[in-house]
Amino acid sequence: MTYKILVTGGAGYIGSHTTLALLEAGYEVVVLDNLCNSSPESLLRVARICGKAPLFIQGDIRDHALLDELFISQRISAVLHFAGLKSVGESVRKPLDYYDNNVAGSVTLCQAMAHAGVFNLVFSSSATVYGEPTQMPIREDFPTGVPTNPYGRSKLMVEDLLQDLAKSDPRWSIALLRYFNPVGAHQSGLIGEDPNGLPNNLLPYVSQVAIGKLKQLSVFGADYPTLDGTGVRDYIHVQDLADGHLSALRTILQKTGVNIWNLGTGIGYSVLEMIRAFEQASGRAVPYKLVERRPGDIAECWADPTKAANELDWKAKRGLPEMMADTWRWQAANPQGYGR
Ligand code: NAD
Ligand code: UDP
């Protein structure tokens, strides 16, 4: 039987890579995206890579009528829910937009799913829900923390509401995937991350410095209690992340309840290690200066990926050189991203 999967936010960075992986694995895919942070070009490129296209519906997850119509016209087996806003800084300036898109949007989506009798959901959560853990690596049974910004709080609120939902009705089968730091691009160089304006995240910033669009990187904090004083994170290749979604999907289709899985590599790298690895892969210099810590940042954060390995039969396979080479291939071939 061919499953048809609804991918919300499927034109975005992680959604487009996962849409590609789903199509390559033989799933039928419907993408719902309002294109507020993406371009339809990403899906044309997906079709170019794999020779198959998802059905694309331009629309908003907060649109009740559209969702009801979508679930009536398409026989959806499960939803991969990526749609949402993701900029920490913007969430501080525009909290209502974040609660509306991320929280109210998820409520509307779940209402439409329940109405249509679709109970399988994979939700894009984040390691940010752990707050500032005192111990590394981070396991799924660690308590969730106090996120320091509306974006983080919106992710935790959705996790909580999905837990309540599953308690209220045993038909729900929900995966909460807590991503660590997604980086990289498809090895073809055709799809990748295309941030709008000045990048917030480390690797898009580094690659725009390398290509000469930005002058130098500011390294936020060199006085953390880490190996070289700079922040340590668990960077995971977006292709590994996409594969993790397919494993989670296969698993939740066989069970019910809420399952939480970390998607990370289990290895932490510092900002300076990332700069060096990128310089090596690209052959370009990345000028940087050490500046003050960024408010709200934690010193270090990396996953214990054992639970996902045991329960999903999934492991991140790609190492730092591949993450860097693929990021650079995408950036060099698409200096203006998708040209939005
Ligand atoms: P992205 O911005 O590239 O993709 C999100 C997509 O959702 C975009 O295409 C956007 O147009 C769409 N969208 C936003 N609001 C919508 C709405 N109301 N209706 C329909 N479509 C809407 O971001 P991404 O990096 O691919 O992230 C995907 C998900 O993963 C997000 O929920 C994000 O919070 C989560 N996440 C991302 C990271 C990261 O570092 N990239 C880390 C942890 C969690
Ligand atoms: N960082 C940095 N300069 C930048 C962007 C990020 O030094 O321009 C650092 C940041 O302080 C953190 C790491 O790079 O230690 C990863 O940051 P990112 O924003 O990519 O992800 P986060 O883990 O904060 O969500």
Side-chain angles (χ1 to χ4, degrees), residues 181 200-202 217-220 231 233 235 271 294 297:
N181 289 58
N200 298 306
N201 293 113
L202 178 65
L217 172 77
S218 294
V219 174
F220 298 139
R233 297 288 183 278
Y235 297 92
V271 176
R294 182 169 65 179
D297 272 3

Side-chain angles (χ1 to χ4, degrees), residues 100-162:
D100 188 27
N101 262 279
N102 297 3
V103 183
S106 299
V107 170
T108 305
L109 176 68
C110 291
Q111 283 169 333
M113 288 176 68
H115 190 221
V118 179
F119 294 102
N120 299 305
L121 176 69
V122 177
F123 173 62
S124 299
S125 189
S126 165
T128 191
V129 300
Y130 292 112
E132 192 163 4
T134 47
Q135 213 187 312
M136 292 293 147
I138 302 173
R139 283 198 322 265
E140 291 84 347
D141 60 1
F142 282 19
T144 50
V146 184
T148 51
N149 55 73
Y151 168 72
R153 276 191 281 280
S154 76
K155 288 288 163 192
L156 196 50
M157 282 180 188
V158 176
E159 282 206 3
D160 288 344
L161 80 84
L162 293 175

Side-chain angles (χ1 to χ4, degrees), residues 8-16 32-39 59-62 81-86 100-102 105 123-128 151 155 177-182 193-194 201 241:
T8 74
Y13 171 45
I14 305 169
S16 59
L32 174 67
D33 199 304
N34 67 2
L35 303 180
C36 70
N37 196 36
S38 55
S39 157
D60 201 297
I61 54 164
R62 294 163 294 179
H81 178 29
F82 296 96
L85 303 179
K86 64 163 181 178
D100 188 27
N101 262 279
N102 297 3
F123 173 62
S124 299
S125 189
S126 165
T128 191
Y151 168 72
K155 288 288 163 192
L177 300 184
R178 293 178 176 162
Y179 309 161
F180 281 67
N181 289 58
E193 188 169 10
D194 180 19
N201 293 113
L241 201 59

